Amino acid sequence: MRVLGVDPGLTRCGVGVVDGAPGKPLRLVSVGVIRTSPGDDIGVRLIGLERGIEELLDATSPDAVAVERVFSQHNVSTVMGTAQAGAIAIACGARRGLPVALHTPSEAKAAVTGNGRADKAQVTAMVTRLLRLDAAPKPADAADALALAICHVWRGGAQAKLQAARTRQGR
């Protein structure tokens, strides 16, 4: 399975694509950050994110998209921008008919480190190790996007099978 992970943000949106399957080695396909200028109008910034994600979808052809679920923070303006950026990623994937999953930061951290409260350094170190990279992905947004993709590779398939079974049983 090839998964695009998205760590949403208006200024820096981390994106990472991973190939893998549960119990098999993971492989890095692509990693980076889509940047927009804080001085630009919100509409221009969202269009910039959409273009960047669409270009990555075209270049990598993932089977699924995993986006970080936005959670409540103290700074409402930060939450709004993060939610808007996440919605762009969700819409881009859905437009192509790809399954889109939302994973909490704790789920992604637990998937790659075994600890849902791991710090950014621990997540980055484990992503680097799991993907057998020579250097850690930078900035942290890029490593977080890869952690989301890895989380989905390892957990998303099982979740999709459970949901399909529930649907067949009429639940």
Side-chain angles (χ1 to χ4, degrees):
M1 176 187 325
R2 178 170 286 185
V3 178
L4 165 61
V6 180
D7 180 32
L10 274 179
T11 303
R12 288 183 326 272
C13 181
V15 289
V17 181
V18 171
D19 279 341
K24 300 207 175 181
L26 298 163
R27 185 177 72 83
L28 173 68
V29 176
S30 177
V31 65
V33 175
I34 301 167
R35 297 178 188 274
T36 68
S37 173
D40 286 347
D41 178 70
I42 184 70
V44 171
R45 296 177 80 185
L46 293 173
I47 289 170
L49 287 175
E50 180 185 31
R51 286 184 182 143
I53 291 169
E54 288 290 348
E55 287 171 8
L56 188 58
L57 289 167
D58 287 341
T60 62
S61 301
D63 301 307
V65 178
V67 180
E68 183 177 284
R69 181 183 304 272
V70 177
F71 61 96
S72 179
Q73 296 175 350
H74 296 97
N75 186 341
V76 174
S77 64
T78 301
V79 171
M80 291 301 295
T82 303
Q84 291 165 335
I88 293 294
I90 292 165
C92 288
R95 183 182 301 128
R96 291 171 183 247
L98 297 173
V100 177
L102 300 175
H103 298 285
T104 66
S106 296
E107 288 171 334
K109 290 173 183 182
V112 299
T113 71
N115 177 1
R117 293 182 178 204
D119 63 26
K120 288 198 177 284
Q122 291 171 305
V123 171
T124 299
M126 283 307 297
V127 164
T128 303
R129 175 185 261 175
L130 291 167
L131 293 172
R132 299 171 313 281
L133 303 176
D134 294 331
K138 292 183 182 177
D141 309 281
D144 289 349
L146 291 171
L148 285 158
I150 292 167
C151 175
H152 192 74
V153 165
W154 287 348
R155 296 180 173 189
Q159 290 172 350
K161 287 178 184 175
L162 285 170
Q163 184 58 44
R166 287 185 196 112
T167 301
R168 282 193 302 272
Q169 293 178 351
R171 290 191 219 167

